[in-house]
């Protein structure tokens, strides 16, 4: 019943901005409270899926890949059950399918279907 749905991807010129959203549904209150982290991954054609950003549920601390540090911001709205990724100063190398990932403390691991981000002039 758990479902993660990403949105907000699209075509943008280099230097532009996009905000991705991931809406989580199907979590019970207790299950949602056991989420360890929410993450954004991305995967370009022929490339390995890579971790872009993560936010730890306990304290809200964040981590970013070096390639996006200073340009991307991960955040969450627990009331809306939504994870966000604000992307600024986008580069062509940011082009990829971006996936939302939720990890629970007892081993639950959920993925969305992804949203395409294309950075091109």
């Amino acid at each position: 019943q758990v479902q993660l749905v990403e949105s907000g991807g699209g075509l943008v010129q280099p230097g532009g901005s996009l905000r991705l959203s991931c809406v989580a549904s199907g979590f019970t209150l207790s299950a949602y409270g056991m989420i360890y982290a929410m993450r954004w991954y991305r995967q370009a054609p022929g490339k390995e899926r890579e971790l872009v950003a993560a936010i730890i549920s306990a304290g809200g601390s964040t981590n970013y890949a070096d390639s996006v540090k200073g340009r991307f911001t991960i955040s969450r709205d627990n009331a809306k059950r939504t994870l966000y990724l604000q992307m600024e100063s986008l580069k062509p190398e940011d082009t990829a399918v971006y996936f939302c990932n939720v990890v629970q403390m007892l081993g639950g691991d959920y993925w969305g279907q992804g949203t395409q981000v294309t950075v091109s002039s």
Side-chain angles (χ1 to χ4, degrees):
Q1 293 288 80
V2 172
Q3 187 175 40
L4 306 178
V5 180
E6 302 97 334
S7 63
L11 175 64
V12 64
Q13 294 184 356
S17 302
L18 285 173
R19 188 179 75 162
L20 306 183
S21 299
C22 172
V23 178
S25 63
F27 284 96
T28 64
L29 180 61
S30 59
Y32 191 84
M34 293 179 66
I35 292 174
Y36 170 71
M38 298 179 176
R39 299 165 173 166
W40 286 100
Y41 284 77
R42 67 186 181 188
Q43 187 168 26
K47 302 293 182 66
E48 295 288 328
R49 185 172 297 188
E50 63 175 340
L51 177 64
V52 176
I55 184 165
I56 307 301
S57 296
S61 62
T62 57
N63 301 99
Y64 298 92
D66 288 341
S67 59
V68 307
K69 196 171 297 181
R71 299 188 297 119
F72 290 12
T73 303
I74 187 170
S75 63
R76 65 185 178 188
D77 186 332
N78 288 328
K80 296 181 178 179
R81 298 284 202 271
T82 302
L83 178 72
Y84 302 98
L85 184 67
Q86 180 68 41
M87 304 185 293
E88 307 285 349
S89 302
L90 283 162
K91 304 174 180 179
E93 51 263 45
D94 295 318
T95 296
V97 177
Y98 284 71
F99 297 91
C100 176
N101 170 237
V102 171
V103 179
Q104 290 181 297
M105 296 179 217
L106 294 180
D109 190 14
Y110 305 97
W111 294 86
Q113 292 299 304
T115 184
Q116 177 71 48
V117 172
T118 302
V119 185
S120 177
S121 59

